[in-house]
Amino acid sequence: MPAVSKGDGMRGLAVFISDIRNCKSKEAEIKRINKELANIRSKFKGDKALDGYSKKKYVCKLLFIFLLGHDIDFGHMEAVNLLSSNRYTEKQIGYLFISVLVNSNSELIRLINNAIKNDLASRNPTFMGLALHCIANVGSREMAEAFAGEIPKILVAGDTMDSVKQSAALCLLRLYRTSPDLVPMGDWTSRVVHLLNDQHLGVVTAATSLITTLAQKNPEEFKTSVSLAVSRLSRIVTSASTDLQDYTYYFVPAPWLSVKLLRLLQCYPPPDPAVRGRLTECLETILNKAQEPPKSKKVQHSNAKNAVLFEAISLIIHHDSEPNLLVRACNQLGQFLQHRETNLRYLALESMCTLASSEFSHEAVKTHIETVINALKTERDVSVRQRAVDLLYAMCDRSNAQQIVAEMLNYLETADYSIREEIVLKVAILAEKYAVDYTWYVDTILNLIRIAGDYVSEEVWYRVIQIVINRDDVQGYAAKTVFEALQAPACHENLVKVGGYILGEFGNLIAGDPRSSPLIQFNLLHSKFHLCSVPTRALLLSTYIKFVNLFPEIKTTIQDVLRSDSQLKNADVELQQRAVEYLRLSTIASTDILATVLEEMPPFPERESSILAKLKKKKGPGTVTDLEEIKKERSSDMNGSAEPTSVNASAVSTPSPSADLLGLGAAPLTNSAPPPSSSGSLLVDVFSDSASAVAPLAPGSDDNFEKKYNNFQFCSRRMFIFYGNKTSTQFLNFTPTFLCLNLQTKPVDPTVDGGAQVQQVVNIECVSDFMEAPILNIQFRYGGTFQNLSVKLPITLNKFFQPTEMSSQDFFQRWKQLSNPKQEVQNIFKAKHPMDAEITKAKIIGFGSALLEEVDPNPANFVGAGIIHTKTTQIGCLLRLEPNLQAQMYRLTLRTSKEAVSQRLCELLSEQF
Amino acid sequence: MINAILVFNNHGKPRLVRFYQHLAEEVQQQIIRETFHLVLKRDDHICNFLECGSLFGGSDYKLIYRHYATLYFVFCVDSSESELGILDLIQVFVETLDKCFENVCELDLIFHMDKVHHILQEVVIGGMVLETNMNEIVAQVEAQSKLEKAEGGLSAAPSRAVSAVKNINLPEIPRNINIGDINIKVPNLSQFM
């Protein structure tokens, strides 16, 4: 019997817990907790050594306090001391405390590692188990350094107990996840693969998890696992439900292991014919079993059975090579679409989404369209409806686009707010992608704005304008339609924007009709003016000046409006400036000049839609939207205007009297003289940043395209190179060659005439982080001799920087996460330029990073953050620059998730100051 | 991978919290709160999976949960896990708790926090599933209890703590988790397995 005092002690815990539960207010609770913390602290600090029982009790109390959401900043040392106890109970509670409360950066890790080392060497399976669990749970880099060599040995040793093997496998997996570089592949890998044949299914399950993760990065090393996994799977699938005893779960043989094995197989392409036949049999058996009557009515039975089935279907879709299986999978999912279990309907919709992209099953998926539409209308659960939207999007093609878009628009009227924006983007993309008749496209987008105007992002309405401008056949219709839509007493601001823009360009096409005469058009737009925000008003002012050109008969009316105090003396600088400039332009310019300046917009360069990128990003992590980039770029282009500029680009790039005219108040315009080839696009390029690719407007049915595009946007750049021949002799065999990076170029004409200039466009993709600038090697023959020139291209790693804004709290949290010494690079250097804070800020922003204000407690310091985008990864980067004015020195600290990147960025940035 | 395991009651009071990725204390608390709000507003008969948005910093994560009488068991997992598999795992965990505590109730989770952690440790470590066979898990837990008893009968104390508290007036706590239609206490369950 335990001593009475101990019973009282646990009573102490009980009383403490119920005290907390009886606290009437948060303050009372905090007071009670602080009292307890003080008590425990004094007990830990006291001279008297505590017995294990008391320590356990106090540690339990601390865990309870932690669970309530209070930070625990002591007790770690006591917990570490418990690790070296010989008593199981004390050791166990010590390990528990450490797994829950010690973070991976703690300095205590060394002490903990010592204790773990002893326990691993103890040969006591219980102690080894505790130690391994602790490593798996904490998984810090220090632990990886200490144990990554040891654990594979434990894992493959012949005399290791099964339960220890299981723990060791998952432990290694965790260390590999956190520090893959510290877990080198070796002799043990082949022996790990053979664990797939182990007697103990628990060991096989753990080993399968480990192999799946390792195989993703080292497919060659583990490819023998495929045949072993198939034969293991085959044995499970064909076993009677009693064969596997304890591992049969509600009549389903080893469902968990089956799922894991099927996942492992998804790391590889379909195996060779011999193994493939056996795998196909397995998959068929699983599909057949789905048709058998259930062996139990319990939901667990159906869950376990279907978990295996869905995983099998995933594998079939992944292999995408057996039309017969694909169609069966599709039929099976079709059955689930109508199943009474919501979970199964959800999963069926999700799997079908991937199935829709396979050419073998796309048609089969389409047959379920009515069911999916019905799901959209009747499902009670928003998660399921969301899946239905996704599936409709995936199964859409030219044949059913009109129906699907109509249903989505329909659903949009009542859709949950959380998914509206996404639906809007999807509708916009589908309408564009599958538009045969562009009047349908225009109607759809206007409907979109009408139904969900608030969720229509700029990309969407920019895009409709771009398309209307590029397609002559739809312009008249668009003008008529927006004119009619604007008649509604309350219309969304986005509609005013689209309407203003389109009428400004093509209002003349409907002006013949007395119901939409110039004056009526103008009055209609102007009636909305006062309800709109500044950017929209600015756009409308541009429309007015375009009307002056289109309809000379209403010039005076417009001039009166521009001249009114509310315009000329508007408090907003942008509006005031526009009113002044436009009024002046309309007064002094001749009709010819007006016609040149205010000419119809030239067609936009045909390029991919940025809506797709937006959609992808919406589903991705919260990075800074590229909208920001667009805005920045635009404001530098066009006098700070915040909408697609309506004044024709030619006004700027033609050095004619019209440029002088604009010089009245818009001098900066002429400064931004872009390279001739892109003058048009730079000024009017509101649709994406410079990283846009040349591609058809309607991207066709390429499904990979979205993924490619999204990634492409950030990790690729475009460069224009001009080769000028200043001699009078022709260059022959002119061949520029690029070394390294992933570059796409169009070949250049092999001859360059004397005095001529040729242009080459280079699309650059950053495949991984790099140190050296790529080299351009130019060879040509000049008057009989070969010339060879090498120049470094100005492409440095920071060109792939995307700024990230974050709060002070986020910044420091991430800063701490990157505390590994190798992730940090520091440079202290003498200032080479005057130390001016504003210039420094501009340099940091120019470098590509975001400048975070009010993050560093010392206002003299500069802090920045951003992401380096490469094709394969994204590398988060944080930087801090501390100027020391007295010493004329800087200290620059870079922390990124990759050592080499920290190093390179630090070098690059240090040169700047 | 399982990123977090959260158990809280109908009022959002956390009863078991386990994160398998390192997050600051405040972030953890926020995740618990937001998860609770996400889960609470859903009825019992809709689907057990939901996307958790940017809660964990990526769109790849899902919450998979089950509601047992007064407690929600929520697992946050990434796309490498099978949804239905995790649903089964929750069931295995709860059934194991039920076996180890003989009619598990919310109070057991409060007063035997350490033991609940130890049981969980036999099911999931480092975010990966260690064991799914309930008999094996229970055997491990029993072996632990034996060791504890051998070291001085400490394990008797918590149960007395529970009875001590059960006598203190705590009217609002239902005694059993009441696993409902799942009916854990089928005596011949072990035959099936």
Side-chain angles (χ1 to χ4, degrees):
Chain A
M1 284 295 281
V4 178
S5 65
K6 287 182 179 165
D8 287 342
M10 284 316 274
R11 190 180 288 267
L13 172 65
V15 168
F16 170 62
I17 294 175
S18 39
D19 275 3
I20 295 286
R21 295 167 57 87
N22 288 334
C23 282
K24 294 279 183 289
S25 65
K26 194 78 196 162
E27 289 74 37
E29 186 185 305
I30 291 171
K31 212 174 141 197
R32 180 67 185 88
I33 285 170
N34 285 338
K35 186 177 150 203
E36 195 61 41
L37 285 174
N39 173 37
I40 300 171
R41 203 175 264 134
S42 71
K43 284 285 192 317
F44 279 162
K45 284 226 176 93
D47 306 329
K48 221 165 51 181
L50 292 172
D51 60 11
Y53 173 79
S54 310
K55 279 187 193 158
K56 174 174 171 163
K57 182 184 71 184
Y58 292 129
V59 168
C60 277
K61 280 185 180 178
L62 288 179
L63 284 172
F64 184 75
I65 294 171
F66 180 72
L67 185 65
L68 291 176
H70 299 266
D71 216 355
I72 301 295
D73 54 2
F74 70 99
H76 300 81
M77 207 53 211
E78 284 69 22
V80 173
N81 289 338
L82 284 174
L83 296 186
S84 45
S85 163
N86 279 327
R87 292 166 70 93
Y88 171 73
T89 31
E90 294 177 12
K91 211 184 255 301
Q92 189 192 33
I93 203 81
Y95 273 123
L96 175 59
F97 186 90
I98 282 158
S99 314
V100 176
L101 274 166
V102 171
N103 70 36
S104 59
N105 299 326
S106 167
E107 289 163 18
L108 291 168
I109 290 277
R110 246 178 336 110
L111 293 172
I112 297 169
N113 279 357
N114 267 336
I116 292 178
K117 204 165 278 166
N118 291 336
D119 281 334
L120 285 183
S122 70
R123 320 292 302 156
N124 174 339
T126 316
F127 288 3
M128 286 173 87
L130 285 176
L132 289 169
H133 290 184
C134 181
I135 301 175
N137 286 328
V138 178
S140 68
R141 205 169 161 83
E142 290 85 348
M143 284 189 173
E145 277 161 5
F147 304 110
E150 178 69 16
I151 292 169
K153 289 183 202 145
I154 298 177
L155 176 58
V156 297
D159 58 347
T160 308
M161 298 243 316
D162 288 336
S163 66
V164 175
K165 265 190 201 162
Q166 273 169 280
S167 305
L170 297 184
C171 202
L172 189 58
L173 169 52
R174 175 64 189 252
L175 294 184
Y176 184 77
R177 278 221 176 101
T178 45
S179 327
D181 52 317
L182 294 178
V183 184
M185 301 298 113
D187 298 343
W188 57 273
T189 49
S190 61
R191 301 181 63 183
V192 166
V193 172
H194 282 278
L195 288 178
L196 291 176
N197 276 335
D198 201 280
Q199 291 274 313
H200 190 280
L201 287 194
V203 173
V204 185
T205 311
T208 312
S209 297
L210 173 65
I211 294 168
T212 305
T213 304
L214 294 174
Q216 281 162 2
K217 296 263 171 61
N218 317 279
E220 271 304 301
E221 296 263 359
F222 291 92
K223 67 173 191 280
T224 47
S225 64
V226 173
S227 60
L228 290 176
V230 170
S231 62
R232 188 89 219 198
L233 182 68
S234 159
R235 268 179 283 157
I236 297 172
V237 170
T238 52
S239 66
S241 51
T242 48
D243 288 357
L244 301 170
Q245 296 156 2
D246 286 356
Y247 283 87
T248 298
Y249 179 78
Y250 290 90
F251 305 102
V252 184
W256 195 274
L257 178 55
S258 312
V259 166
K260 290 278 169 198
L261 290 168
L262 288 161
R263 277 278 155 126
L264 169 59
L265 292 171
Q266 287 180 50
C267 299
Y268 289 94
D272 345 321
V275 182
R276 193 164 170 176
R278 197 156 179 204
L279 177 59
T280 306
E281 269 170 39
C282 285
L283 296 171
E284 277 169 348
T285 314
I286 295 171
L287 286 168
N288 291 341
K289 278 190 180 170
Q291 298 303 325
E292 290 169 10
K295 293 201 174 79
S296 155
K297 285 208 171 100
K298 290 226 162 43
V299 67
Q300 280 78 356
H301 172 67
S302 107
N303 274 354
K305 191 164 138 184
N306 292 326
V308 179
L309 178 58
F310 274 108
E311 218 50 64
I313 291 174
S314 285
L315 181 63
I316 293 170
I317 298 171
H318 174 80
H319 282 170
D320 196 18
S321 60
E322 303 265 354
N324 172 34
L325 285 177
L326 280 161
V327 169
R328 283 194 66 186
C330 185
N331 292 339
Q332 181 62 53
L333 293 176
Q335 283 181 19
F336 282 144
L337 286 182
Q338 320 228 27
H339 202 277
R340 60 186 173 80
E341 276 272 329
T342 317
N343 289 339
L344 296 182
R345 295 199 301 275
Y346 174 96
L347 294 172
L349 287 166
E350 193 178 54
S351 299
M352 243 190 203
C353 240
T354 45
L355 201 53
S357 59
S358 159
E359 57 171 316
F360 298 116
S361 51
H362 184 78
E363 288 304 315
V365 171
K366 274 166 63 185
T367 58
H368 298 288
I369 185 166
E370 295 303 332
T371 318
V372 182
I373 288 172
N374 196 39
L376 200 56
K377 290 177 177 160
T378 56
E379 283 291 349
R380 287 164 56 210
D381 185 348
V382 57
S383 329
V384 186
R385 291 196 298 268
Q386 163 93 62
R387 290 284 85 85
V389 172
D390 288 349
L391 178 53
L392 283 178
Y393 178 73
M395 66 161 69
C396 190
D397 62 18
R398 218 167 273 284
S399 70
N400 55 21
Q402 302 232 353
Q403 185 190 8
I404 285 177
V405 166
E407 289 296 345
M408 282 190 175
L409 276 174
N410 225 341
Y411 172 58
L412 192 55
E413 308 235 17
T414 53
D416 310 74
Y417 294 111
S418 54
I419 59 175
R420 280 194 182 187
E421 189 182 355
E422 199 183 313
I423 299 176
V424 167
L425 291 172
K426 286 187 163 145
V427 170
I429 290 169
L430 292 178
E432 179 186 331
K433 204 169 171 181
Y434 299 116
V436 184
D437 172 5
Y438 276 87
T439 58
W440 172 72
Y441 171 73
V442 170
D443 285 340
T444 304
I445 301 294
L446 290 182
N447 258 330
L448 211 50
I449 296 175
R450 184 180 55 77
I451 296 168
D454 285 343
Y455 298 89
V456 173
S457 57
E458 300 200 331
E459 284 88 345
V460 175
W461 72 262
Y462 287 177
R463 190 71 182 156
V464 68
I465 287 172
Q466 192 183 26
I467 286 173
V468 169
I469 285 178
N470 286 12
R471 301 197 64 97
D472 302 344
D473 51 337
V474 78
Q475 290 161 353
Y477 180 81
K480 181 163 164 287
T481 318
V482 292
F483 178 78
E484 278 160 12
L486 282 168
Q487 305 286 343
C491 49
H492 194 273
E493 194 166 331
N494 279 335
L495 182 64
V496 179
K497 290 179 186 164
V498 176
Y501 199 108
I502 289 183
L503 292 180
E505 294 294 325
F506 310 113
N508 55 328
L509 301 177
I510 56 167
D513 186 332
R515 284 166 299 175
S516 52
S517 71
L519 191 60
I520 294 178
Q521 286 187 36
F522 174 73
N523 286 337
L524 179 62
L525 282 176
H526 199 54
S527 69
K528 316 280 182 197
F529 188 90
H530 302 281
L531 304 169
C532 293
S533 62
V534 170
T536 310
R537 289 187 192 191
L539 185 150
L540 286 178
L541 288 178
S542 297
T543 303
Y544 298 169
I545 189 68
K546 293 216 125 189
F547 276 175
V548 169
N549 178 44
L550 289 181
F551 314 124
E553 63 268 36
I554 59 166
K555 182 170 167 181
T556 46
T557 318
I558 290 170
Q559 284 176 331
D560 287 344
V561 168
L562 291 175
R563 199 176 289 128
S564 69
D565 279 355
S566 62
Q567 308 297 354
L568 275 189
K569 296 186 180 167
N570 196 297
D572 186 89
V573 177
E574 176 67 30
L575 293 181
Q576 192 186 94
Q577 186 176 355
R578 281 186 189 222
V580 172
E581 284 172 18
Y582 291 160
L583 182 60
R584 198 84 186 110
L585 183 64
S586 70
T587 323
I588 61 172
S590 71
T591 351
D592 282 355
I593 291 174
L594 269 185
T596 316
V597 174
L598 303 169
E599 197 187 345
E600 191 179 299
M601 292 289 280
F604 286 85
E606 303 265 308
R607 57 173 47 151
E608 289 171 6
S609 160
S610 53
I611 305 177
L612 280 173
K614 167 100 177 177
L615 177 65
K616 273 287 169 184
K617 204 163 329 135
K618 202 179 144 27
K619 303 194 124 182
T623 47
V624 178
T625 66
D626 84 28
L627 212 65
E628 295 297 316
E629 284 175 27
I630 296 169
K631 275 188 193 140
K632 253 181 253 153
E633 181 175 273
R634 210 184 310 141
S635 50
S636 61
D637 288 346
M638 178 60 196
N639 208 12
S641 62
E643 97 278 13
T645 162
S646 304
V647 181
N648 194 321
S650 61
V652 181
S653 55
T654 336
S656 66
S658 64
D660 287 332
L661 249 184
L662 275 179
L664 283 175
L669 279 178
T670 40
N671 295 344
S672 61
S677 67
S678 59
S679 65
S681 70
L682 249 183
L683 261 181
V684 295
D685 187 4
V686 292
F687 294 97
S688 69
D689 63 358
S690 54
S692 41
V694 179
L697 205 54
S701 59
D702 180 2
D703 289 306
N704 285 326
F705 152 91
E706 281 177 48
K707 220 184 293 158
K708 271 192 254 160
Y709 183 72
N710 182 43
N711 193 15
F712 188 72
Q713 262 222 321
F714 292 115
C715 65
S716 50
R717 294 290 177 265
R718 179 187 284 187
M719 187 156 83
F720 292 87
I721 301 175
F722 295 88
Y723 305 102
N725 180 352
K726 292 195 170 175
T727 70
S728 52
T729 319
Q730 214 178 31
F731 292 164
L732 295 169
N733 298 355
F734 184 82
T735 35
T737 335
F738 296 92
L739 307 175
C740 94
L741 282 181
N742 195 359
L743 298 169
Q744 268 184 325
T745 51
K746 290 207 184 105
V748 184
D749 198 340
T751 53
V752 183
D753 289 333
Q757 197 180 47
V758 286
Q759 177 204 335
Q760 188 176 28
V761 184
V762 191
N763 287 320
I764 303 146
E765 187 174 26
C766 179
V767 180
S768 68
D769 55 287
F770 60 97
M771 296 297 121
E772 295 300 324
I775 292 180
L776 168 63
N777 188 271
I778 308 162
Q779 287 180 325
F780 57 91
R781 188 187 289 273
Y782 167 69
T785 49
F786 250 113
Q787 305 287 330
N788 200 339
L789 285 177
S790 287
V791 286
K792 277 192 181 176
L793 292 179
I795 298 168
T796 45
L797 188 56
N798 63 304
K799 299 286 181 205
F800 301 92
F801 224 143
Q802 189 206 2
T804 315
E805 293 292 342
M806 58 178 80
S807 68
S808 171
Q809 192 189 354
D810 287 348
F811 181 86
F812 284 109
Q813 191 193 328
R814 287 178 206 194
W815 185 263
K816 277 182 210 145
Q817 280 167 2
L818 296 171
S819 61
N820 190 300
K822 286 193 175 157
Q823 294 169 329
E824 180 181 291
V825 173
Q826 200 168 64
N827 187 12
I828 299 173
F829 54 95
K830 199 116 191 120
K832 292 186 277 295
H833 302 281
M835 296 175 81
D836 180 292
E838 288 310 311
I839 295 176
T840 306
K841 282 181 188 171
K843 282 179 178 168
I844 291 175
I845 294 170
F847 190 68
S849 149
L851 181 74
L852 306 176
E853 307 267 11
E854 288 169 23
V855 166
D856 202 299
N858 177 355
N861 292 345
F862 305 93
V863 183
I867 298 169
I868 296 274
H869 287 270
T870 74
K871 193 177 174 187
T872 43
T873 52
Q874 303 188 348
I875 303 153
C877 309
L878 303 175
L879 66 93
R880 185 184 203 191
L881 180 71
E882 297 156 277
N884 181 340
L885 286 171
Q886 273 165 344
Q888 288 288 306
M889 302 275 280
Y890 285 104
R891 178 162 72 183
L892 175 64
T893 314
L894 254 298
R895 283 191 181 183
T896 77
S897 44
K898 202 163 170 187
E899 187 185 353
V901 173
S902 301
Q903 192 66 45
R904 182 62 183 149
L905 288 180
C906 188
E907 287 165 16
L908 285 169
L909 194 54
S910 301
E911 292 165 13
Q912 303 300 320
F913 300 103
Chain B
M1 173 175 170
I2 301 169
N3 279 58
I5 293 175
L6 311 173
V7 178
F8 40 71
N9 70 8
N10 292 346
H11 305 287
K13 280 266 178 216
R15 291 303 177 217
L16 172 69
V17 173
R18 202 65 214 262
F19 283 89
Y20 295 101
Q21 85 190 74
H22 296 294
L23 293 168
E25 159 76 10
E26 317 84 78
V27 183
Q28 292 190 7
Q29 289 301 320
Q30 180 166 351
I31 290 176
I32 296 169
R33 272 194 306 275
E34 285 182 20
T35 308
F36 172 64
H37 288 298
L38 278 175
V39 170
L40 182 73
K41 63 180 178 206
R42 299 171 59 84
D43 343 339
D44 269 354
H45 297 291
I46 59 178
C47 102
N48 297 79
F49 323 123
L50 72 159
E51 266 109 286
C52 48
S54 55
L55 207 55
F56 279 81
S59 56
D60 195 24
Y61 300 106
K62 271 197 185 124
L63 298 176
I64 296 173
Y65 72 97
R66 271 191 123 126
H67 188 197
Y68 296 94
T70 67
L71 292 175
Y72 285 95
F73 286 71
V74 186
F75 282 40
C76 174
V77 301
D78 68 13
S79 61
S80 69
E81 299 291 346
S82 145
E83 288 93 342
L84 290 172
I86 293 288
L87 218 47
D88 278 341
L89 188 69
I90 297 178
Q91 178 69 17
V92 166
F93 179 48
V94 175
E95 286 189 31
T96 310
L97 288 177
D98 198 61
K99 277 196 178 172
C100 296
F101 288 109
E102 294 169 12
N103 282 339
V104 65
C105 70
E106 195 179 332
L107 273 182
D108 292 310
L109 267 67
I110 300 171
F111 288 100
H112 300 277
M113 212 175 12
D114 53 332
K115 193 162 180 193
V116 174
H117 271 291
H118 297 318
I119 295 171
L120 178 60
Q121 196 118 295
E122 297 301 328
V123 183
V124 176
I125 64 168
M128 297 303 302
V129 179
L130 179 64
E131 184 56 75
T132 53
N133 170 1
M134 211 188 314
N135 291 349
E136 190 97 357
I137 302 167
V138 172
Q140 290 286 348
V141 174
E142 275 168 2
Q144 288 174 15
S145 306
K146 262 193 205 128
L147 275 171
E148 283 172 22
K149 280 207 183 96
E151 287 182 0
L154 298 187
S155 57
S159 61
R160 287 190 304 125
V162 171
S163 57
V165 171
K166 280 174 181 168
N167 297 332
I168 301 172
N169 78 36
L170 288 170
E172 83 275 27
I173 302 180
R175 296 225 12 205
N176 287 335
I177 286 184
N178 178 14
I179 298 174
D181 62 326
I182 296 155
N183 191 9
I184 287 181
K185 288 171 299 251
V186 181
N188 54 356
L189 198 63
S190 53
Q191 276 177 19
F192 299 154
M193 315 200 17

